[in-house]
Amino acid sequence: MLQNIGIPGLILILVIALIIFGPSKLPEIGRAFGNTLKEFKKATHDLVNGDSETDSKSLEGTKKLQAVEVSKSKAGS
């Protein structure tokens, strides 16, 4: 689908986006789109490779949070 756009189609899309959003919002939209794409690629890469490092870090964070909650509940009693 995206292989058939070409340069004229890309220019047309950019002109329409410029008309709709204006020149001040266009860089913000591009930045947000880039960040979203980067996070999507990272998440896909993590799912495909099954990175256990990410899983262990989230497990450590959960354990620390539980320990803090337990200590707060004991202090409050």
Side-chain angles (χ1 to χ4, degrees):
M1 181 177 137
L2 292 176
Q3 294 91 0
N4 298 331
I5 289 180
I7 298 296
L10 188 60
I11 291 172
L12 180 65
I13 290 171
L14 289 174
V15 168
I16 291 172
L18 185 62
I19 291 170
I20 291 174
F21 296 111
S24 62
K25 287 285 185 181
L26 216 51
E28 293 175 25
I29 293 170
R31 214 172 291 118
F33 180 73
N35 287 339
T36 303
L37 189 61
K38 182 173 66 172
E39 289 177 19
F40 179 75
K41 283 183 178 181
K42 183 179 179 240
T44 304
H45 181 72
D46 289 349
L47 283 175
V48 169
N49 290 338
D51 284 342
S52 59
E53 182 180 320
T54 304
D55 295 338
S56 64
K57 284 183 181 178
S58 65
L59 253 174
E60 288 176 18
T62 304
K63 288 179 182 178
K64 287 179 183 177
L65 181 60
Q66 289 173 348
V68 169
E69 290 174 350
V70 167
S71 65
K72 282 183 180 180
S73 66
K74 287 181 181 179
S77 298

